[in-house]
Amino acid sequence: MATTTDKRITCDHCGEPCTVHPVKWGEKMFCCEGCRTVYQLLDRSGLCDYYQLNEKPGLSHANPSHREKFAFLDDVKMAAPFILFQDGQETHARWYLPQMHCSSCLYLLENLHRLNPGVITSRVDFAAKELTVLFDHHRISIRQVAELLTAAGYEPYVSLRDLGGAKPASSRNNIYRLGIAGFCFANIMLLSFPEYFGLGASEEGLRGVFRELNLALSLPVFFYSAQPFYRNAWSGIRNGFLNIDAPIVLAIVVTFARSVYEVVSGTGSGYFDSMTGIVFFMLAGRMLQDRTHQRLSFERDYRSYFPIAVSVLKEGKDISMALPEIQCGDTLLIHHGELIPADGILTRGQALIDYSFVTGESLPVPKEMGELVYAGGRQTGAAIEVLVVKEVAQSYLTQLWNRQEDKKVEHSFIHVLSRQFTFIVLAVAACAAVYWWAYDPARIANAVTAVLIVACPCALLLSSTFTNGNILRILGNNGLYLRNARVIENISTTTHIVFDKTGTLTLPGDHVLTYKGRPLEPTEQRAIAILAAQSTHPLSKSLAHHLDKAEPCRVLGFKETPGKGTEGWVDGTYVMIGSRRFVTESRAGTADTRVYVRLNEDYPGYFRYSSHYREGIARWMHVLRGQYSLSLLSGDNDRERSRLEGWMGEGSRIFFSQSPEDKEAYIRHLQRRGEKVMMVGDGLNDAGALRQSDTGIAVAEKGNSFTPASHAILDAAQIGRLPVFLRYCRMAGRIIIASFILSIVYNIIGLSFAVRGDLSPLIAAILMPSSSLSILLLTYGSATWAARRMGLAISTDEKNHARG
Amino acid sequence: MSAIILLLGASLSVAVLFLGAFVWSVKHHQFDDGFSPPRRILFDEHHPDSDTPNHQN
């Protein structure tokens, strides 16, 4: 195969290799009609700059969706979720276009008005992968806009979820809060300097002005910027436990109250700079930690996968209907490549259903009329009709998702610590109070408030938020996207890793073919390839791809028997390919997947299909084997057991033909034995297991592919670096613990001043930022250094460089 | 002393001006998308009358 790659023609639109029947148009070569149509469309409108900006930016157009797909947009009610604004003249509509990936896309999508004059303007939000189109609805309908986008290669992604109400508005409040806190903090700091450096008695009036200004500046911080802390602390208390925000709120409130008292009574300058500083740094840390991957969805449910509408046959007519309105007894028309949205009975057509997403079985399953088909399968081949027997919400697949999740007990290190911390601080304050009550009761209030001010866990918290934020960022740059910071801790305590096979260890939809039998002549290979290229069956497609000899040639008497095989005359040779039973009429079954060949009256042999494993599995599996216990759960049959055993080692636990429930039960079984389980999977069949496990990592083929709900998303190309990621997360845990120890040392220093009752605002103002900053630098530096030593990319530039 | 108070007022109002500019820029999506604006500016302007007269409208 490798020898032919350099002379292979690639499509001028999408860059995919043209194996079968390249389509010519002028000078250009395309892999399929779809790509040519897009090129023609752009060429006609003078948009060929699209091809200048990036090399082969197009998207493969080999699997066009059927024509009626966007018919549902003609229905005002169903189009509503996509419309932002509408008046008598124009409409603003917004779509999610996950295919958007480069500046060419940007160029094309913002020049839509040149493709159709009905479009007034269009604007891309690249980070959100959204396109807002402003169009004149007298000249072009919303459906036509969607179809125009589809024709240009950017089919809007619409799912059932879009019907479920408005998306949460992206909140900018935290940015405002941070900005205001920073502004007030810096100004209060400046206004406090004169006092720290000493003002003469003659400037008594000026001092008063400074203090009052400080008080005024601290109000927005106290009442606006710090709100999230109050809210978190309150929700913690309402649920009956003290979370880490409780001591922060205590410190903020006590500091503010004492400062206001000092200023009003004229006894001191207060600790406004410390208070605003705490709020500012804490907000910054939180932001860094939460900001990371807001564009990735870790919360997908079945609705994200399901189409928004399906074609329903009613009184002989084909109408588009919203999915929730489907009822038992309706007849659905499912086209090639569409998802079956509800359990039903096949009433017409030959179904060849790809269940890989639901069950993990890698090959499509043929179904005869009258058989039950489950929701979640994808039809390949001609359109079929399905009589619905269960509503969407009751279907097998939907049930898988909706199963109640076991409530997990919060036992994160930081939560345990925060609870202890609050009690320790209160105890120290109480001791100080008791001590001063005995010796000098006038200083009680002073000492107690000072303890509460200085013992704010902000250094403690800052170290973890900043370290986690940095680690999330570095891992994200390397292709592992974590849902939140707690996942780092869960990864670092993992003891057992469970893998899925199909799509996780193997490349989805790709097979390795080996030929068994008498050697084939080149002309015979060509004849087989030509026949195989005519068929839509995935096995035929990979066979044609494997032989790579197809060329335009007429096949006479072409006949495809779905689920069995294909036959036809190529250059006077009668060729037949298909299952053993179909081709050789033998009744013997086969354990593995084979395609038999017949040429005239001759049976030269068969092609054996085996999964195409990702590169380097043996190497990284070997590394993991030494550190963790490993298991493999596959929905597939056990034809590749020996190979997997070789990689995972003797005595490793490998189970085949596992249903989604089996997988989940297995994880639960491991957890009951006290194991911390990490599940690495990809499909819907792993959804339950991913959710049940302590860390569920969903493997995604491309950045825009859809993964089930999980704790982390791993770029499939980076799966070989899993051992490094695991090691890095363990290192992160150690860095956080080290910084905690350091911050406790700082706290002890601060407390030693505080209990004596002589914490001056100057000491507080120096101690607070310096402890926070030094810890920040330490954790940030060590996390970056560790990443560099392990060969992880630190910045996005390096990532691009490393990937070439 | 009054000079200091005057300067204080001046410096604070300048600072408030910048805070206002920051809030304005956040509100106007300046920090939302870091990819498109720097590229958008590089695209050639399209002159409808020069190359595709039939798409003038």
Side-chain angles (χ1 to χ4, degrees), chain A residues 378-446:
Chain A
R378 211 173 270 286
Q379 162 67 352
T380 52
I384 51 168
E385 286 177 25
V386 173
L387 180 76
V388 178
V389 294
K390 264 187 191 167
E391 281 168 35
V392 176
Q394 254 86 55
S395 287
Y396 171 69
L397 182 75
T398 325
Q399 299 287 322
L400 271 184
W401 281 101
N402 291 354
R403 194 112 35 76
Q404 277 299 308
E405 188 179 1
D406 297 346
K407 267 266 176 265
K408 283 191 189 125
V409 193
E410 195 73 66
H411 43 55
S412 158
F413 176 54
I414 202 159
H415 279 88
V416 173
L417 193 108
S418 69
R419 193 173 304 193
Q420 307 295 340
F421 189 86
T422 315
F423 290 127
I424 292 171
V425 169
L426 290 175
V428 172
C431 290
V434 169
Y435 177 84
W436 288 115
W437 176 71
Y439 291 90
D440 184 0
R443 295 176 83 166
I444 292 180
N446 209 340

Side-chain angles (χ1 to χ4, degrees), chain A residues 110 114 123 126 172 213, chain B residues 29 32-33 35 40 46:
Chain A
E110 297 209 334
R114 287 163 67 183
R123 191 93 173 157
F126 201 87
R172 299 208 175 79
L213 267 177
Chain B
H29 310 264
D32 287 6
D33 183 1
F35 183 87
R40 194 175 282 140
H46 172 59

